[in-house]
Short mmCIF file of all heavy atoms in Angstrom, two decimals:
data_model
loop_
_atom_site.label_atom_id
_atom_site.label_comp_id
_atom_site.label_asym_id
_atom_site.label_seq_id
_atom_site.Cartn_x
_atom_site.Cartn_y
_atom_site.Cartn_z
N VAL A 1 98.72 89.65 111.73
CA VAL A 1 97.36 89.79 111.19
C VAL A 1 97.38 89.63 109.68
O VAL A 1 96.54 88.92 109.10
CB VAL A 1 96.75 91.14 111.58
CG1 VAL A 1 95.43 91.37 110.85
CG2 VAL A 1 96.53 91.21 113.09
N ALA A 2 98.34 90.30 109.02
CA ALA A 2 98.42 90.22 107.56
C ALA A 2 98.65 88.79 107.11
O ALA A 2 98.04 88.32 106.14
CB ALA A 2 99.53 91.14 107.05
N ALA A 3 99.52 88.07 107.81
CA ALA A 3 99.79 86.68 107.46
C ALA A 3 98.55 85.80 107.68
O ALA A 3 98.24 84.93 106.86
CB ALA A 3 100.96 86.15 108.28
N ARG A 4 97.84 86.05 108.78
CA ARG A 4 96.65 85.25 109.08
C ARG A 4 95.55 85.46 108.06
O ARG A 4 94.84 84.53 107.67
CB ARG A 4 96.13 85.59 110.48
CG ARG A 4 94.83 84.88 110.87
CD ARG A 4 95.03 83.38 110.95
NE ARG A 4 93.81 82.68 111.29
CZ ARG A 4 92.91 82.27 110.39
NH1 ARG A 4 93.11 82.52 109.09
NH2 ARG A 4 91.83 81.60 110.78
N LEU A 5 95.41 86.70 107.57
CA LEU A 5 94.33 87.03 106.64
C LEU A 5 94.74 86.92 105.19
O LEU A 5 93.91 87.07 104.29
CB LEU A 5 93.81 88.44 106.93
CG LEU A 5 93.22 88.66 108.33
CD1 LEU A 5 92.81 90.11 108.51
CD2 LEU A 5 92.03 87.73 108.57
N GLY A 6 96.03 86.68 104.94
CA GLY A 6 96.49 86.51 103.58
C GLY A 6 96.46 87.78 102.75
O GLY A 6 96.24 87.74 101.53
N VAL A 7 96.68 88.93 103.40
CA VAL A 7 96.70 90.21 102.70
C VAL A 7 97.96 90.96 103.11
O VAL A 7 98.65 90.58 104.05
CB VAL A 7 95.46 91.07 103.00
CG1 VAL A 7 94.20 90.38 102.52
CG2 VAL A 7 95.36 91.37 104.49
N ASP A 8 98.26 92.04 102.38
CA ASP A 8 99.42 92.84 102.72
C ASP A 8 99.15 93.73 103.93
O ASP A 8 98.04 94.27 104.09
CB ASP A 8 99.81 93.73 101.55
CG ASP A 8 100.58 92.97 100.47
OD1 ASP A 8 100.97 91.82 100.71
OD2 ASP A 8 100.78 93.56 99.41
N GLU A 9 100.17 93.90 104.73
CA GLU A 9 100.09 94.84 105.85
C GLU A 9 99.71 96.24 105.36
O GLU A 9 98.90 96.93 105.98
CB GLU A 9 101.45 94.89 106.56
CG GLU A 9 101.58 95.96 107.61
CD GLU A 9 103.03 96.22 107.99
OE1 GLU A 9 103.92 95.54 107.46
OE2 GLU A 9 103.25 97.13 108.82
N ALA A 10 100.29 96.64 104.22
CA ALA A 10 100.02 97.98 103.69
C ALA A 10 98.58 98.15 103.24
O ALA A 10 98.06 99.27 103.19
CB ALA A 10 100.97 98.29 102.53
N PHE A 11 97.92 97.05 102.89
CA PHE A 11 96.51 97.13 102.50
C PHE A 11 95.65 97.43 103.73
O PHE A 11 94.71 98.24 103.66
CB PHE A 11 96.07 95.82 101.86
CG PHE A 11 94.58 95.74 101.60
CD1 PHE A 11 94.01 96.39 100.52
CD2 PHE A 11 93.76 94.99 102.43
CE1 PHE A 11 92.64 96.34 100.28
CE2 PHE A 11 92.38 94.92 102.21
CZ PHE A 11 91.84 95.60 101.12
N LEU A 12 95.95 96.79 104.85
CA LEU A 12 95.15 96.98 106.06
C LEU A 12 95.46 98.30 106.76
O LEU A 12 94.57 98.94 107.30
CB LEU A 12 95.40 95.81 107.02
CG LEU A 12 94.95 94.43 106.54
CD1 LEU A 12 95.41 93.36 107.52
CD2 LEU A 12 93.44 94.38 106.34
N TRP A 13 96.76 98.68 106.75
CA TRP A 13 97.17 99.92 107.43
C TRP A 13 98.11 100.69 106.50
O TRP A 13 99.33 100.71 106.71
CB TRP A 13 97.87 99.59 108.74
CG TRP A 13 96.96 98.90 109.72
CD1 TRP A 13 95.98 99.47 110.48
CD2 TRP A 13 96.94 97.50 110.04
NE1 TRP A 13 95.35 98.52 111.25
CE2 TRP A 13 95.92 97.31 111.00
CE3 TRP A 13 97.69 96.41 109.63
CZ2 TRP A 13 95.63 96.05 111.53
CZ3 TRP A 13 97.40 95.16 110.15
CH2 TRP A 13 96.38 94.99 111.09
N PRO A 14 97.59 101.32 105.47
CA PRO A 14 98.43 101.99 104.47
C PRO A 14 99.30 103.11 105.02
O PRO A 14 100.31 103.46 104.41
CB PRO A 14 97.42 102.52 103.45
CG PRO A 14 96.11 102.55 104.16
CD PRO A 14 96.16 101.44 105.15
N LYS A 15 98.92 103.69 106.17
CA LYS A 15 99.70 104.80 106.73
C LYS A 15 100.76 104.33 107.73
O LYS A 15 101.51 105.16 108.26
CB LYS A 15 98.76 105.80 107.42
CG LYS A 15 97.75 106.44 106.47
CD LYS A 15 96.83 107.40 107.23
CE LYS A 15 95.79 108.01 106.31
NZ LYS A 15 94.86 108.91 107.04
N ALA A 16 100.83 103.03 107.96
CA ALA A 16 101.71 102.53 109.01
C ALA A 16 103.18 102.52 108.59
O ALA A 16 104.08 102.66 109.42
CB ALA A 16 101.29 101.12 109.43
N LEU A 17 103.45 102.32 107.30
CA LEU A 17 104.83 102.23 106.83
C LEU A 17 105.41 103.61 106.58
O LEU A 17 104.73 104.50 106.07
CB LEU A 17 104.90 101.41 105.54
CG LEU A 17 104.43 99.95 105.61
CD1 LEU A 17 104.61 99.29 104.26
CD2 LEU A 17 105.20 99.19 106.67
N SER A 18 106.67 103.77 106.91
CA SER A 18 107.35 105.01 106.58
C SER A 18 107.58 105.06 105.07
O SER A 18 107.59 104.02 104.40
CB SER A 18 108.70 105.08 107.29
OG SER A 18 109.60 104.13 106.74
N PRO A 19 107.78 106.25 104.49
CA PRO A 19 108.05 106.33 103.06
C PRO A 19 109.26 105.49 102.65
O PRO A 19 109.26 104.88 101.57
CB PRO A 19 108.30 107.83 102.84
CG PRO A 19 107.53 108.50 103.93
CD PRO A 19 107.65 107.58 105.12
N GLU A 20 110.28 105.45 103.52
CA GLU A 20 111.48 104.67 103.20
C GLU A 20 111.17 103.18 103.18
O GLU A 20 111.61 102.46 102.27
CB GLU A 20 112.58 104.96 104.23
CG GLU A 20 113.14 106.37 104.18
CD GLU A 20 112.22 107.38 104.87
OE1 GLU A 20 111.27 106.96 105.57
OE2 GLU A 20 112.47 108.59 104.71
N GLN A 21 110.40 102.71 104.16
CA GLN A 21 110.04 101.28 104.19
C GLN A 21 109.20 100.90 102.99
O GLN A 21 109.39 99.86 102.37
CB GLN A 21 109.28 100.96 105.48
CG GLN A 21 110.12 101.00 106.74
CD GLN A 21 109.27 100.85 107.98
OE1 GLN A 21 108.17 101.39 108.07
NE2 GLN A 21 109.77 100.11 108.95
N SER A 22 108.23 101.75 102.65
CA SER A 22 107.36 101.48 101.51
C SER A 22 108.15 101.46 100.22
O SER A 22 107.94 100.60 99.36
CB SER A 22 106.26 102.54 101.44
OG SER A 22 105.38 102.27 100.36
N ALA A 23 109.09 102.39 100.05
CA ALA A 23 109.90 102.44 98.83
C ALA A 23 110.78 101.21 98.71
O ALA A 23 110.92 100.62 97.63
CB ALA A 23 110.76 103.70 98.83
N GLU A 24 111.39 100.78 99.82
CA GLU A 24 112.25 99.60 99.79
C GLU A 24 111.45 98.35 99.46
O GLU A 24 111.89 97.50 98.67
CB GLU A 24 112.96 99.44 101.14
CG GLU A 24 114.02 100.49 101.40
CD GLU A 24 114.60 100.38 102.80
OE1 GLU A 24 114.17 99.47 103.54
OE2 GLU A 24 115.46 101.21 103.15
N ALA A 25 110.27 98.22 100.06
CA ALA A 25 109.44 97.05 99.79
C ALA A 25 108.98 97.03 98.35
O ALA A 25 109.00 95.98 97.68
CB ALA A 25 108.24 97.03 100.73
N SER A 26 108.56 98.19 97.84
CA SER A 26 108.09 98.25 96.45
C SER A 26 109.21 97.92 95.48
O SER A 26 109.00 97.24 94.46
CB SER A 26 107.52 99.64 96.15
OG SER A 26 106.36 99.87 96.92
N GLU A 27 110.42 98.39 95.77
CA GLU A 27 111.55 98.08 94.89
C GLU A 27 111.80 96.57 94.86
O GLU A 27 112.17 96.01 93.82
CB GLU A 27 112.80 98.81 95.37
CG GLU A 27 114.01 98.62 94.48
CD GLU A 27 115.21 99.43 94.92
OE1 GLU A 27 115.03 100.37 95.73
OE2 GLU A 27 116.32 99.13 94.45
N SER A 28 111.57 95.92 95.99
CA SER A 28 111.78 94.47 96.06
C SER A 28 110.73 93.70 95.28
O SER A 28 110.90 92.50 95.03
CB SER A 28 111.78 94.01 97.52
OG SER A 28 112.86 94.60 98.24
N GLU A 29 109.61 94.36 94.93
CA GLU A 29 108.58 93.69 94.14
C GLU A 29 108.99 93.53 92.68
O GLU A 29 108.38 92.77 91.94
CB GLU A 29 107.27 94.48 94.22
CG GLU A 29 106.62 94.43 95.58
CD GLU A 29 105.26 95.10 95.60
OE1 GLU A 29 105.15 96.24 95.09
OE2 GLU A 29 104.30 94.49 96.11
N ILE A 30 110.02 94.25 92.25
CA ILE A 30 110.46 94.18 90.85
C ILE A 30 111.40 92.99 90.67
O ILE A 30 112.50 92.96 91.24
CB ILE A 30 111.17 95.47 90.43
CG1 ILE A 30 110.27 96.69 90.64
CG2 ILE A 30 111.61 95.38 88.96
CD1 ILE A 30 110.96 98.02 90.42
N LEU A 31 110.97 92.01 89.90
CA LEU A 31 111.80 90.83 89.64
C LEU A 31 112.69 91.05 88.43
O LEU A 31 113.88 90.75 88.45
CB LEU A 31 110.93 89.60 89.43
CG LEU A 31 110.04 89.18 90.60
CD1 LEU A 31 109.25 87.93 90.22
CD2 LEU A 31 110.88 88.91 91.83
N THR A 32 112.10 91.53 87.34
CA THR A 32 112.83 91.70 86.09
C THR A 32 112.23 92.86 85.32
O THR A 32 111.02 93.10 85.39
CB THR A 32 112.74 90.44 85.19
OG1 THR A 32 113.05 89.29 85.97
CG2 THR A 32 113.69 90.52 84.00
#
C-alpha cells in the first residue's frame, strides 16, 4: 500500500512498527 500510494508505511500506520524497527529505520535515514 505504501509503495502504491508513494508514502511511508509509518505515515499510514504509525503504531505498526516496533520501537526497534522504527529506530533502525530512522538511523538509516542519516546519510552524513
